[in-house]
Coordinates of all heavy atoms in Angstrom, one line a residue:
M1 N 0.8 -1.2 0.0 CA 0.0 0.0 0.0 C 0.9 1.2 0.0 O 1.8 1.3 0.7 CB -0.9 0.0 1.2 CG -1.9 1.1 1.3 SD -3.0 0.6 2.6 CE -3.8 2.1 2.8
T2 N 0.6 2.2 -0.8 CA 1.4 3.4 -0.9 C 0.8 4.5 -0.1 O -0.4 4.5 0.2 CB 1.5 3.9 -2.4 OG1 0.2 4.2 -2.8 CG2 2.1 2.9 -3.3
D3 N 1.6 5.4 0.4 CA 1.1 6.5 1.1 C 0.5 7.5 0.2 O 1.1 7.9 -0.8 CB 2.2 7.2 1.9 CG 2.7 6.4 3.1 OD1 1.9 5.6 3.6 OD2 3.9 6.4 3.3
R4 N -0.7 7.9 0.4 CA -1.4 8.9 -0.4 C -1.3 10.2 0.3 O -1.5 10.4 1.5 CB -2.9 8.6 -0.6 CG -3.1 7.4 -1.5 CD -4.5 7.1 -1.7 NE -5.3 8.3 -2.1 CZ -6.5 8.3 -2.3 NH1 -7.2 7.2 -2.3 NH2 -7.1 9.4 -2.7
R5 N -0.9 11.2 -0.5 CA -0.8 12.5 0.0 C -2.1 13.2 0.0 O -2.8 13.3 -1.1 CB 0.2 13.3 -0.8 CG 0.5 14.7 -0.2 CD 1.7 15.3 -0.9 NE 1.8 16.6 -0.4 CZ 2.1 17.7 -1.1 NH1 2.3 17.6 -2.4 NH2 2.2 18.9 -0.5
V6 N -2.6 13.7 1.1 CA -3.8 14.4 1.1 C -3.5 15.9 0.9 O -2.7 16.5 1.6 CB -4.5 14.2 2.5 CG1 -5.8 15.1 2.6 CG2 -4.8 12.8 2.7
P7 N -4.2 16.5 -0.1 CA -3.9 17.9 -0.4 C -4.4 18.8 0.8 O -5.4 18.6 1.3 CB -4.6 18.2 -1.7 CG -5.6 17.2 -1.8 CD -5.1 16.0 -1.0
A8 N -3.6 19.8 1.1 CA -4.0 20.7 2.1 C -4.8 21.8 1.5 O -4.5 22.3 0.4 CB -2.7 21.3 2.8
V9 N -5.9 22.2 2.2 CA -6.7 23.3 1.7 C -6.5 24.5 2.6 O -6.6 24.4 3.8 CB -8.2 22.9 1.8 CG1 -9.1 24.0 1.3 CG2 -8.5 21.6 0.9
R10 N -6.1 25.6 2.0 CA -5.8 26.8 2.8 C -6.8 27.8 2.6 O -7.4 27.9 1.5 CB -4.4 27.3 2.4 CG -3.3 26.3 2.7 CD -2.0 26.9 2.1 NE -0.9 25.9 2.1 CZ -0.7 25.0 1.1 NH1 -1.5 25.0 0.1 NH2 0.2 24.1 1.2
G11 N -7.0 28.7 3.6 CA -8.0 29.7 3.5 C -7.8 30.6 2.3 O -8.7 31.0 1.6
T12 N -6.6 31.0 2.0 CA -6.3 31.8 0.8 C -6.7 31.1 -0.5 O -7.3 31.7 -1.4 CB -4.8 32.2 0.8 OG1 -4.4 32.8 2.0 CG2 -4.4 33.0 -0.4
D13 N -6.4 29.8 -0.5 CA -6.8 29.1 -1.7 C -8.3 29.0 -1.9 O -8.8 29.2 -3.0 CB -6.3 27.6 -1.7 CG -4.7 27.5 -1.7 OD1 -4.1 28.5 -2.1 OD2 -4.2 26.5 -1.2
L14 N -9.0 28.9 -0.8 CA -10.5 28.9 -0.9 C -11.0 30.3 -1.3 O -11.9 30.4 -2.1 CB -11.1 28.5 0.4 CG -11.0 27.0 0.8 CD1 -11.5 26.8 2.2 CD2 -11.9 26.2 -0.2
R15 N -10.4 31.3 -0.8 CA -10.8 32.7 -1.2 C -10.6 32.9 -2.7 O -11.5 33.4 -3.4 CB -10.1 33.7 -0.4 CG -10.6 35.1 -0.6 CD -9.9 36.2 0.2 NE -8.5 36.3 -0.2 CZ -7.5 36.1 0.7 NH1 -7.7 35.7 1.9 NH2 -6.2 36.3 0.2
I16 N -9.5 32.5 -3.2 CA -9.2 32.6 -4.6 C -10.2 31.8 -5.4 O -10.7 32.2 -6.4 CB -7.7 32.2 -4.9 CG1 -6.7 33.2 -4.3 CG2 -7.5 32.0 -6.4 CD1 -5.3 32.8 -4.3
A17 N -10.5 30.6 -5.0 CA -11.4 29.7 -5.7 C -12.8 30.4 -5.7 O -13.5 30.4 -6.7 CB -11.5 28.3 -5.0
M18 N -13.2 30.9 -4.5 CA -14.5 31.6 -4.5 C -14.6 32.8 -5.4 O -15.6 33.0 -6.1 CB -14.9 32.0 -3.1 CG -15.2 30.8 -2.2 SD -15.9 31.3 -0.6 CE -14.4 31.9 0.2
E19 N -13.5 33.5 -5.5 CA -13.4 34.7 -6.3 C -13.5 34.3 -7.8 O -14.2 34.9 -8.6 CB -12.1 35.5 -6.1 CG -12.1 36.3 -4.8 CD -10.8 36.9 -4.5 OE1 -9.8 36.8 -5.3 OE2 -10.6 37.5 -3.4
R20 N -12.8 33.2 -8.2 CA -12.8 32.8 -9.6 C -14.2 32.3 -9.9 O -14.7 32.6 -11.0 CB -11.8 31.7 -9.8 CG -10.4 32.2 -9.8 CD -9.4 31.1 -10.0 NE -8.0 31.6 -10.1 CZ -6.9 30.9 -10.0 NH1 -7.0 29.6 -9.9 NH2 -5.7 31.4 -10.0
V21 N -14.8 31.5 -9.1 CA -16.1 31.0 -9.4 C -17.1 32.1 -9.5 O -17.9 32.2 -10.4 CB -16.6 29.9 -8.3 CG1 -18.1 29.6 -8.5 CG2 -15.7 28.7 -8.4
A22 N -17.1 33.1 -8.5 CA -18.0 34.2 -8.6 C -17.8 35.0 -9.8 O -18.7 35.4 -10.5 CB -17.8 35.0 -7.3
D23 N -16.5 35.3 -10.2 CA -16.2 36.1 -11.4 C -16.7 35.4 -12.6 O -17.3 36.0 -13.5 CB -14.7 36.4 -11.5 CG -14.3 37.4 -10.4 OD1 -15.1 38.1 -9.8 OD2 -13.0 37.5 -10.3
G24 N -16.4 34.1 -12.7 CA -16.9 33.3 -13.8 C -18.4 33.2 -14.0 O -18.9 33.4 -15.0
Y25 N -19.0 33.1 -12.8 CA -20.5 33.1 -12.8 C -21.1 34.4 -13.4 O -21.9 34.4 -14.2 CB -21.0 32.8 -11.4 CG -22.5 33.2 -11.2 CD1 -23.5 32.3 -11.7 CD2 -22.9 34.3 -10.6 CE1 -24.8 32.6 -11.6 CE2 -24.2 34.6 -10.5 CZ -25.2 33.8 -11.0 OH -26.5 34.1 -10.9
L26 N -20.5 35.5 -12.9 CA -21.0 36.8 -13.3 C -20.8 37.1 -14.8 O -21.7 37.6 -15.5 CB -20.4 37.9 -12.4 CG -20.9 37.9 -11.0 CD1 -20.1 38.9 -10.1 CD2 -22.4 38.1 -10.8
R27 N -19.6 36.7 -15.3 CA -19.3 36.8 -16.7 C -20.2 36.0 -17.5 O -20.8 36.4 -18.6 CB -17.8 36.5 -17.0 CG -16.8 37.6 -16.8 CD -15.5 37.3 -17.4 NE -15.0 35.9 -17.1 CZ -14.3 35.5 -16.0 NH1 -14.1 36.4 -15.0 NH2 -13.9 34.3 -15.8
F28 N -20.4 34.7 -17.1 CA -21.3 33.8 -17.8 C -22.7 34.3 -17.8 O -23.4 34.2 -18.8 CB -21.1 32.4 -17.2 CG -21.9 31.3 -18.0 CD1 -21.4 30.8 -19.2 CD2 -23.0 30.7 -17.5 CE1 -22.0 29.8 -19.9 CE2 -23.7 29.8 -18.2 CZ -23.2 29.3 -19.4
L29 N -23.2 34.8 -16.7 CA -24.5 35.3 -16.6 C -24.8 36.4 -17.5 O -25.8 36.4 -18.2 CB -24.8 35.7 -15.1 CG -26.2 36.3 -14.8 CD1 -27.2 35.1 -14.9 CD2 -26.2 36.8 -13.4
D30 N -23.8 37.3 -17.6 CA -23.9 38.5 -18.5 C -23.9 38.1 -20.0 O -24.5 38.7 -20.8 CB -22.8 39.5 -18.3 CG -23.0 40.2 -17.0 OD1 -24.2 40.3 -16.5 OD2 -22.0 40.8 -16.4
A31 N -23.2 37.0 -20.3 CA -23.1 36.6 -21.7 C -24.2 35.7 -22.2 O -24.3 35.5 -23.4 CB -21.8 35.8 -21.9
G32 N -25.1 35.3 -21.3 CA -26.2 34.4 -21.7 C -27.3 35.0 -22.4 O -27.5 36.2 -22.5
P33 N -28.2 34.1 -22.9 CA -29.4 34.5 -23.6 C -30.3 35.2 -22.6 O -30.4 34.9 -21.5 CB -30.0 33.2 -24.1 CG -29.3 32.1 -23.5 CD -28.1 32.6 -22.8
E34 N -31.0 36.2 -23.1 CA -31.9 37.0 -22.3 C -33.3 36.4 -22.5 O -33.8 36.1 -23.5 CB -31.9 38.5 -22.8 CG -30.6 39.2 -22.5 CD -30.4 39.4 -21.0 OE1 -31.4 39.6 -20.3 OE2 -29.2 39.3 -20.6
P35 N -34.1 36.4 -21.4 CA -35.5 35.9 -21.5 C -36.3 36.9 -22.3 O -36.0 38.1 -22.3 CB -36.0 35.9 -20.0 CG -35.0 36.7 -19.2 CD -33.7 36.8 -20.0
G36 N -37.2 36.4 -23.1 CA -38.1 37.2 -23.9 C -37.5 37.6 -25.2 O -38.1 38.4 -25.9
T37 N -36.3 37.2 -25.5 CA -35.7 37.5 -26.8 C -35.9 36.4 -27.8 O -36.5 35.4 -27.4 CB -34.2 37.9 -26.7 OG1 -33.5 36.7 -26.3 CG2 -34.0 39.0 -25.6
D38 N -35.3 36.5 -28.9 CA -35.5 35.4 -29.9 C -34.4 34.3 -29.7 O -34.3 33.4 -30.5 CB -35.3 36.0 -31.3 CG -36.4 36.9 -31.7 OD1 -37.6 36.7 -31.2 OD2 -36.3 37.7 -32.6
D39 N -33.7 34.3 -28.6 CA -32.8 33.3 -28.3 C -33.5 31.9 -28.1 O -34.6 31.9 -27.7 CB -32.0 33.6 -27.0 CG -31.0 34.7 -27.2 OD1 -30.5 34.9 -28.4 OD2 -30.8 35.5 -26.3
D40 N -32.8 30.9 -28.5 CA -33.3 29.5 -28.4 C -33.7 29.2 -27.0 O -32.9 29.4 -26.0 CB -32.2 28.6 -28.9 CG -32.6 27.1 -28.9 OD1 -33.7 26.8 -28.5 OD2 -31.8 26.3 -29.4
T41 N -34.9 28.6 -26.8 CA -35.4 28.3 -25.5 C -34.5 27.2 -24.8 O -34.2 27.3 -23.6 CB -36.8 27.7 -25.6 OG1 -37.6 28.7 -26.2 CG2 -37.4 27.4 -24.2
K42 N -34.0 26.3 -25.6 CA -33.1 25.2 -25.0 C -31.8 25.9 -24.5 O -31.3 25.5 -23.5 CB -32.9 24.1 -26.0 CG -34.1 23.2 -26.2 CD -33.8 22.1 -27.2 CE -35.0 21.3 -27.4 NZ -34.7 20.2 -28.4
A43 N -31.3 26.8 -25.3 CA -30.1 27.5 -24.9 C -30.3 28.3 -23.6 O -29.4 28.3 -22.7 CB -29.6 28.4 -26.0
F44 N -31.4 28.9 -23.5 CA -31.7 29.7 -22.3 C -31.8 28.7 -21.1 O -31.3 29.0 -20.0 CB -33.0 30.5 -22.4 CG -33.3 31.3 -21.2 CD1 -32.5 32.5 -20.9 CD2 -34.2 30.9 -20.3 CE1 -32.8 33.2 -19.8 CE2 -34.5 31.7 -19.1 CZ -33.7 32.8 -18.9
A45 N -32.5 27.6 -21.2 CA -32.7 26.6 -20.2 C -31.3 26.0 -19.8 O -31.0 25.9 -18.6 CB -33.6 25.5 -20.6
A46 N -30.5 25.8 -20.8 CA -29.1 25.2 -20.5 C -28.3 26.3 -19.7 O -27.6 26.0 -18.8 CB -28.4 24.8 -21.8
H47 N -28.4 27.5 -20.1 CA -27.7 28.6 -19.5 C -28.1 28.8 -18.0 O -27.3 28.9 -17.1 CB -27.9 29.9 -20.3 CG -27.1 31.0 -19.8 ND1 -27.6 32.0 -18.9 CD2 -25.8 31.4 -20.0 CE1 -26.6 32.8 -18.6 NE2 -25.5 32.5 -19.3
H48 N -29.4 28.7 -17.8 CA -30.0 28.8 -16.5 C -29.5 27.6 -15.6 O -29.1 27.9 -14.5 CB -31.5 28.7 -16.6 CG -32.3 29.0 -15.3 ND1 -32.4 30.2 -14.7 CD2 -32.9 28.1 -14.5 CE1 -33.1 30.1 -13.6 NE2 -33.4 28.8 -13.5
A49 N -29.5 26.4 -16.1 CA -29.0 25.3 -15.4 C -27.5 25.4 -15.1 O -27.0 25.1 -14.0 CB -29.2 24.0 -16.2
A50 N -26.7 25.9 -16.0 CA -25.3 26.1 -15.8 C -25.0 27.2 -14.7 O -24.1 27.0 -13.9 CB -24.6 26.5 -17.1
C51 N -25.8 28.2 -14.7 CA -25.7 29.3 -13.7 C -26.0 28.7 -12.3 O -25.3 28.9 -11.3 CB -26.7 30.4 -14.0 SG -26.1 31.5 -15.3
R52 N -27.0 27.8 -12.2 CA -27.4 27.1 -11.0 C -26.2 26.3 -10.5 O -25.9 26.2 -9.3 CB -28.6 26.3 -11.1 CG -29.9 27.1 -11.1 CD -31.1 26.1 -11.2 NE -32.3 26.7 -10.8 CZ -32.7 26.8 -9.5 NH1 -31.9 26.4 -8.6 NH2 -33.8 27.4 -9.2
A53 N -25.6 25.6 -11.4 CA -24.5 24.7 -11.1 C -23.3 25.5 -10.5 O -22.6 25.1 -9.5 CB -24.0 23.9 -12.3
A54 N -23.0 26.7 -11.1 CA -22.0 27.5 -10.7 C -22.3 28.0 -9.3 O -21.4 28.1 -8.4 CB -21.8 28.7 -11.6
L55 N -23.5 28.4 -9.0 CA -23.9 28.8 -7.7 C -23.8 27.7 -6.6 O -23.4 28.0 -5.5 CB -25.3 29.4 -7.7 CG -25.5 30.7 -8.4 CD1 -27.0 31.1 -8.5 CD2 -24.7 31.8 -7.8
A56 N -24.1 26.5 -7.0 CA -24.0 25.4 -6.1 C -22.5 25.2 -5.8 O -22.1 24.9 -4.6 CB -24.5 24.1 -6.7
H57 N -21.6 25.3 -6.8 CA -20.2 25.2 -6.6 C -19.7 26.3 -5.6 O -19.0 26.0 -4.6 CB -19.5 25.4 -7.9 CG -18.0 25.1 -7.8 ND1 -17.2 25.2 -8.9 CD2 -17.1 24.8 -6.8 CE1 -15.9 25.0 -8.6 NE2 -15.9 24.8 -7.3
L58 N -20.2 27.5 -5.8 CA -19.8 28.6 -4.9 C -20.3 28.4 -3.5 O -19.6 28.6 -2.5 CB -20.3 29.9 -5.5 CG -20.0 31.2 -4.7 CD1 -18.5 31.4 -4.6 CD2 -20.6 32.4 -5.4
E59 N -21.5 27.9 -3.4 CA -22.1 27.6 -2.1 C -21.3 26.5 -1.3 O -21.0 26.7 -0.1 CB -23.5 27.1 -2.2 CG -24.2 26.9 -0.9 CD -25.7 26.5 -1.1 OE1 -26.1 25.9 -2.1 OE2 -26.4 26.8 -0.1
H60 N -20.8 25.5 -2.0 CA -20.0 24.5 -1.4 C -18.7 25.0 -0.9 O -18.2 24.7 0.2 CB -19.9 23.3 -2.3 CG -21.1 22.5 -2.4 ND1 -22.0 22.6 -3.4 CD2 -21.7 21.5 -1.5 CE1 -23.0 21.8 -3.2 NE2 -22.8 21.1 -2.1
L61 N -18.1 25.8 -1.8 CA -16.8 26.5 -1.4 C -17.0 27.3 -0.2 O -16.2 27.4 0.8 CB -16.2 27.3 -2.5 CG -15.6 26.5 -3.7 CD1 -15.3 27.5 -4.9 CD2 -14.4 25.8 -3.3
L62 N -18.1 28.1 -0.1 CA -18.4 28.9 1.0 C -18.6 28.1 2.3 O -18.1 28.5 3.4 CB -19.6 29.7 0.7 CG -20.1 30.8 1.7 CD1 -19.0 31.8 1.9 CD2 -21.3 31.5 1.2
K63 N -19.3 27.0 2.2 CA -19.4 26.1 3.4 C -18.1 25.6 3.9 O -17.9 25.5 5.1 CB -20.4 25.0 3.0 CG -21.8 25.4 2.9 CD -22.7 24.2 2.5 CE -24.2 24.7 2.4 NZ -25.0 23.6 2.0
V64 N -17.3 25.2 3.0 CA -15.9 24.7 3.4 C -15.1 25.8 4.0 O -14.5 25.6 5.1 CB -15.2 24.1 2.1 CG1 -13.7 23.8 2.5 CG2 -15.9 22.8 1.6
A65 N -15.2 27.0 3.4 CA -14.4 28.1 4.0 C -14.9 28.4 5.4 O -14.1 28.6 6.3 CB -14.6 29.3 3.1
R66 N -16.2 28.5 5.6 CA -16.8 28.7 6.9 C -16.4 27.6 7.9 O -16.1 27.9 9.1 CB -18.3 28.9 6.8 CG -18.7 30.2 6.2 CD -20.2 30.4 6.2 NE -20.6 31.7 5.8 CZ -21.7 32.0 5.2 NH1 -22.6 31.1 4.9 NH2 -22.0 33.2 4.8
A67 N -16.5 26.4 7.5 CA -16.1 25.3 8.3 C -14.6 25.4 8.8 O -14.3 24.9 9.8 CB -16.4 23.9 7.6
M68 N -13.8 26.0 7.9 CA -12.4 26.1 8.3 C -12.1 27.4 9.0 O -11.0 27.8 9.3 CB -11.6 26.1 7.0 CG -11.6 24.7 6.3 SD -10.6 24.7 4.8 CE -9.0 24.9 5.5
G69 N -13.2 28.2 9.4 CA -13.0 29.4 10.2 C -12.9 30.7 9.4 O -12.7 31.7 10.1
A70 N -13.2 30.7 8.2 CA -13.1 31.9 7.4 C -14.2 32.8 7.8 O -15.4 32.4 8.1 CB -13.2 31.7 5.9
E71 N -14.0 34.1 7.9 CA -14.9 35.1 8.3 C -14.8 36.4 7.5 O -13.8 36.6 6.8 CB -14.8 35.4 9.8 CG -14.9 34.3 10.8 CD -14.6 34.7 12.2 OE1 -14.1 35.8 12.4 OE2 -14.9 33.9 13.1
G72 N -15.7 37.3 7.8 CA -15.6 38.6 7.2 C -15.5 38.7 5.7 O -16.3 38.1 5.0
A73 N -14.6 39.6 5.3 CA -14.5 39.9 3.9 C -14.2 38.6 3.0 O -14.5 38.6 1.9 CB -13.3 40.9 3.7
E74 N -13.6 37.6 3.7 CA -13.2 36.4 2.9 C -14.5 35.7 2.4 O -14.4 35.1 1.3 CB -12.5 35.4 3.8 CG -11.1 35.8 4.2 CD -10.3 34.8 4.9 OE1 -10.5 33.6 4.7 OE2 -9.6 35.1 5.8
V75 N -15.6 35.8 3.1 CA -16.8 35.1 2.7 C -17.9 36.0 2.3 O -18.9 35.6 1.7 CB -17.2 34.0 3.7 CG1 -16.2 33.0 3.9 CG2 -17.6 34.7 5.0
E76 N -17.8 37.3 2.7 CA -18.9 38.2 2.5 C -19.3 38.4 1.0 O -20.5 38.3 0.7 CB -18.5 39.6 3.0 CG -19.6 40.6 3.0 CD -19.1 41.9 3.7 OE1 -18.3 41.9 4.6 OE2 -19.6 43.0 3.2
E77 N -18.3 38.5 0.1 CA -18.7 38.7 -1.3 C -19.4 37.5 -1.9 O -20.4 37.6 -2.5 CB -17.4 39.0 -2.1 CG -17.7 39.3 -3.6 CD -16.5 39.6 -4.4 OE1 -15.4 39.6 -3.9 OE2 -16.7 39.9 -5.6
A78 N -18.9 36.3 -1.5 CA -19.5 35.1 -2.0 C -20.9 34.9 -1.5 O -21.8 34.6 -2.2 CB -18.6 33.9 -1.7
A79 N -21.1 35.2 -0.2 CA -22.4 35.1 0.4 C -23.4 36.1 -0.2 O -24.5 35.8 -0.5 CB -22.3 35.3 1.9
T80 N -22.9 37.3 -0.5 CA -23.8 38.3 -1.1 C -24.2 37.9 -2.5 O -25.4 38.0 -2.9 CB -23.0 39.7 -1.2 OG1 -22.7 40.1 0.2 CG2 -23.8 40.8 -1.8
I81 N -23.2 37.4 -3.3 CA -23.6 36.9 -4.6 C -24.6 35.8 -4.6 O -25.6 35.8 -5.3 CB -22.3 36.5 -5.4 CG1 -21.5 37.7 -5.7 CG2 -22.7 35.7 -6.6 CD1 -20.1 37.3 -6.3
L82 N -24.4 34.9 -3.6 CA -25.4 33.8 -3.5 C -26.8 34.3 -3.1 O -27.8 33.9 -3.7 CB -24.9 32.8 -2.4 CG -23.8 31.8 -2.9 CD1 -23.3 31.0 -1.7 CD2 -24.3 30.9 -4.0
V83 N -26.9 35.2 -2.2 CA -28.2 35.8 -1.8 C -28.9 36.5 -3.0 O -30.1 36.2 -3.3 CB -28.1 36.7 -0.6 CG1 -29.3 37.5 -0.4 CG2 -27.7 35.9 0.7
E84 N -28.1 37.3 -3.7 CA -28.7 38.1 -4.8 C -29.1 37.1 -5.9 O -30.1 37.3 -6.6 CB -27.7 39.1 -5.3 CG -27.5 40.3 -4.3 CD -26.4 41.2 -4.7 OE1 -25.7 41.0 -5.7 OE2 -26.2 42.2 -3.9
A85 N -28.3 36.1 -6.2 CA -28.6 35.2 -7.3 C -29.8 34.4 -6.9 O -30.6 34.1 -7.8 CB -27.4 34.3 -7.5
R86 N -29.9 33.9 -5.7 CA -31.1 33.1 -5.3 C -32.4 34.0 -5.4 O -33.4 33.5 -5.9 CB -30.9 32.7 -3.9 CG -30.0 31.5 -3.7 CD -29.9 31.1 -2.3 NE -28.9 30.0 -2.2 CZ -28.1 29.9 -1.1 NH1 -28.1 30.8 -0.2 NH2 -27.2 28.9 -1.1
E87 N -32.3 35.2 -5.1 CA -33.5 36.1 -5.2 C -33.8 36.3 -6.7 O -35.0 36.2 -7.1 CB -33.2 37.5 -4.6 CG -33.1 37.5 -3.1 CD -32.7 38.8 -2.5 OE1 -32.3 39.7 -3.2 OE2 -32.6 38.9 -1.3
A88 N -32.8 36.4 -7.6 CA -33.1 36.6 -9.0 C -33.7 35.3 -9.6 O -34.6 35.3 -10.4 CB -31.8 37.0 -9.7
L89 N -33.1 34.1 -9.2 CA -33.6 32.9 -9.7 C -35.0 32.6 -9.2 O -35.9 32.2 -9.9 CB -32.7 31.7 -9.2 CG -31.4 31.6 -9.9 CD1 -30.5 30.6 -9.2 CD2 -31.6 31.2 -11.4
A90 N -35.3 33.0 -7.9 CA -36.7 32.8 -7.4 C -37.7 33.7 -8.2 O -38.8 33.2 -8.5 CB -36.7 33.1 -5.9
Q91 N -37.3 34.9 -8.5 CA -38.1 35.8 -9.3 C -38.4 35.2 -10.7 O -39.5 35.2 -11.2 CB -37.5 37.2 -9.4 CG -38.4 38.1 -10.1 CD -37.7 39.5 -10.2 OE1 -36.6 39.7 -9.7 NE2 -38.4 40.4 -10.8
F92 N -37.3 34.7 -11.3 CA -37.4 34.1 -12.6 C -38.3 32.9 -12.6 O -39.2 32.8 -13.5 CB -36.0 33.7 -13.2 CG -36.1 32.8 -14.4 CD1 -36.3 33.4 -15.6 CD2 -35.9 31.5 -14.3 CE1 -36.4 32.6 -16.8 CE2 -36.0 30.7 -15.4 CZ -36.2 31.3 -16.7
E93 N -38.2 32.0 -11.6 CA -39.0 30.8 -11.5 C -40.4 31.2 -11.3 O -41.3 30.5 -11.8 CB -38.4 29.9 -10.4 CG -37.1 29.3 -10.9 CD -36.4 28.6 -9.8 OE1 -36.8 28.7 -8.6 OE2 -35.4 27.9 -10.1
E94 N -40.7 32.2 -10.5 CA -42.1 32.7 -10.3 C -42.7 33.2 -11.6 O -43.8 32.9 -11.9 CB -42.1 33.8 -9.3 CG -41.9 33.3 -7.9 CD -41.9 34.5 -6.9 OE1 -42.1 35.7 -7.3 OE2 -41.5 34.2 -5.7
E95 N -41.9 33.9 -12.4 CA -42.4 34.4 -13.7 C -42.6 33.3 -14.7 O -43.5 33.4 -15.5 CB -41.4 35.4 -14.3 CG -41.2 36.7 -13.5 CD -40.1 37.6 -14.0 OE1 -39.4 37.2 -14.9 OE2 -39.9 38.6 -13.4
E96 N -41.8 32.2 -14.6 CA -41.9 31.1 -15.6 C -42.8 30.0 -15.1 O -43.1 29.1 -15.9 CB -40.5 30.6 -15.8 CG -39.6 31.5 -16.5 CD -40.1 32.0 -17.9 OE1 -40.5 31.1 -18.7 OE2 -40.1 33.2 -18.2
S97 N -43.4 30.1 -13.9 CA -44.2 29.0 -13.4 C -45.6 29.0 -14.1 O -46.0 30.0 -14.6 CB -44.4 29.1 -11.9 OG -45.3 30.1 -11.6
P98 N -46.2 27.8 -14.3 CA -47.5 27.8 -14.9 C -48.6 28.6 -14.2 O -49.4 29.2 -14.9 CB -47.9 26.3 -14.8 CG -46.6 25.5 -14.7 CD -45.7 26.5 -13.9
D99 N -48.5 28.7 -12.9 CA -49.4 29.6 -12.1 C -49.3 31.0 -12.5 O -50.2 31.8 -12.7 CB -49.2 29.4 -10.6 CG -49.6 28.0 -10.2 OD1 -50.3 27.3 -10.8 OD2 -49.0 27.6 -9.1
A100 N -48.0 31.5 -12.7 CA -47.7 32.9 -13.1 C -48.3 33.1 -14.5 O -48.8 34.2 -14.8 CB -46.2 33.1 -13.0
A101 N -48.1 32.2 -15.4 CA -48.6 32.3 -16.7 C -50.1 32.5 -16.7 O -50.7 33.3 -17.5 CB -48.2 31.1 -17.6
E102 N -50.9 31.7 -15.8 CA -52.3 31.9 -15.8 C -52.7 33.2 -15.2 O -53.7 33.8 -15.6 CB -52.9 30.8 -14.9 CG -52.8 29.4 -15.5 CD -53.2 28.3 -14.5 OE1 -53.7 28.6 -13.4 OE2 -53.0 27.1 -14.8
E103 N -51.9 33.8 -14.3 CA -52.2 35.1 -13.7 C -52.1 36.2 -14.8 O -52.8 37.1 -14.8 CB -51.2 35.4 -12.6 CG -51.4 34.5 -11.3 CD -50.4 34.7 -10.3 OE1 -49.5 35.6 -10.4 OE2 -50.3 34.0 -9.3
H104 N -51.1 36.0 -15.7 CA -50.8 37.0 -16.7 C -51.8 36.8 -17.9 O -51.9 37.7 -18.7 CB -49.4 37.0 -17.2 CG -48.4 37.4 -16.1 ND1 -48.6 38.3 -15.2 CD2 -47.2 36.8 -15.8 CE1 -47.6 38.4 -14.3 NE2 -46.8 37.5 -14.7
G105 N -52.3 35.7 -18.1 CA -53.0 35.4 -19.3 C -54.5 35.4 -19.2 O -55.4 35.9 -18.8

């Protein structure tokens, strides 16, 4: 049996990872298809799912960082992005739900 080296996770590394994921999420979000335009519906749904996956990744990094004792500015930006994104997704899902369509139609 060989000795396996367990990678060390450092607070700075997690902060950098959270920043990269958040930056990538925001760039990807801005580049995506807009609702109500002539963009392909499947492309929009795929973009929406990819954004959710990025947020899940960011959320897991945030949980690990907090579990390791990260506080303050290290996690504040990631937490803010998650809250704002969840609010936006909830609003989008309300607008796209069948009940919402009946209310408007």
